[in-house]
Amino acid sequence: MPAPKVWVTGLTVGAIAVVAALAVQADKGPRPTATARPSASASASGGGQPSPTASAPAAVPDASGTGRRIVYSLGQRRVWLVDESDAARRTFAVWPGTVAPDPGSYSVVSRRDATTGSDGVAIENIVYFATKSGLNIAFSNAVDGSSPPPASGTQTGGIRMRKADGSAVWTFGSTGTTVVVVN
């Protein structure tokens, strides 16, 4: 049985190293925002659903509060990670679930490394911040990088993003972090 302990220890050390590296990057000042590039592998975004795209960094919405926060725009289908000086550290497009949170201010209530989403897809970097219609609303990314459309009639509260963006939200969105949802 010593082998599993070594594996878990190595995995834990590796995870800590990745989180530390991301934290160091976050402290180096504004970084370029994430942009999506259309590619020939549209199927990677899942089932013909259009992939999120960005042509230029979008400004943080005016009515999204102040200070360190995660901002989610329902209409723009976009998230911003905003630092304490109100500068956007990162912004990216997302694939919303079928149940959207109401506009307002929330806090990250819990986080989970990995699980299976309500749509049956393996997900990771889950950052929960609201509930609506009996569903948890959370940011996450699919382990395989896909974002398939939910099965007909399925209600989902996951706000999916690319793997790199999911990792960034995971690092930024500790428990208690403010999440502001705007139209």
Side-chain angles (χ1 to χ4, degrees):
M1 269 323 222
K5 289 181 184 176
V6 171
W7 180 78
V8 170
T9 302
L11 182 60
T12 302
V13 170
I16 290 169
V18 168
V19 169
L22 289 170
V24 168
Q25 280 183 331
D27 288 338
K28 289 185 180 180
R31 296 189 318 245
T33 58
T35 57
R37 292 181 203 97
S39 70
S41 67
S43 63
S45 66
Q49 182 176 354
S51 63
T53 60
S55 57
V60 177
D62 290 332
S64 67
T66 59
R68 188 177 186 281
R69 64 200 183 278
I70 299 170
V71 177
Y72 172 43
S73 170
L74 299 168
Q76 294 183 53
R77 296 181 175 198
R78 176 168 289 279
V79 167
W80 291 262
L81 304 181
V82 182
D83 69 16
E84 48 282 328
S85 70
D86 289 324
R89 304 289 286 193
R90 185 182 187 110
T91 183
F92 47 89
V94 297
W95 294 283
T98 60
V99 177
D102 293 324
S105 185
Y106 302 87
S107 292
V108 172
V109 293
S110 66
R111 298 162 17 117
R112 189 167 184 179
D113 292 336
T115 191
T116 300
S118 56
D119 58 358
V121 174
I123 57 174
E124 62 187 355
N125 299 320
I126 307 113
V127 177
Y128 297 96
F129 67 92
T131 58
K132 185 174 177 183
S133 301
L135 291 174
N136 291 317
I137 308 291
F139 300 113
S140 65
N141 64 270
V143 172
D144 68 4
S146 69
S147 187
S152 181
T154 301
Q155 289 193 324
T156 61
I159 301 160
R160 296 280 170 79
M161 56 202 63
R162 290 180 173 80
K163 287 179 76 90
D165 298 328
S167 180
V169 169
W170 177 261
T171 300
F172 189 90
S174 56
T175 301
T177 298
T178 300
V179 177
V180 178
V181 178
V182 297
N183 285 316

